[in-house]
């Protein structure tokens, strides 16, 4: 059995993609290290600074 690193669903050892969520299962059946993010971090969104109203 090869667990999907995204959803945890069981897959066959020969599967390249998860049958449940479609995630790529990687090149080995070694699970990711604990505490390691499996998706890239989303950059923080900053609010635009207050700007004075233009003429009009």
């Amino acid at each position: 059995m090869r667990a999907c690193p995204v959803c945890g669903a069981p897959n066959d050892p020969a599967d390249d993609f998860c049958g449940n969520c479609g995630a790529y299962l990687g090149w080995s059946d070694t699970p990711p290290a604990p505490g390691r993010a499996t998706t890239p971090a989303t950059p923080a969104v900053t609010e635009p600074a207050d700007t004075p109203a233009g003429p009009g």
Side-chain angles (χ1 to χ4, degrees):
M1 183 193 87
R2 186 174 181 184
C4 173
V6 176
C7 71
N11 294 279
D12 289 329
D15 290 342
D16 289 329
F17 296 92
C18 177
N20 184 53
C21 72
Y24 180 62
L25 297 174
W27 293 102
S28 69
D29 53 1
T30 305
R36 183 174 174 205
T38 57
T39 57
T42 305
V45 177
T46 58
E47 294 294 322
D50 289 334
T51 56

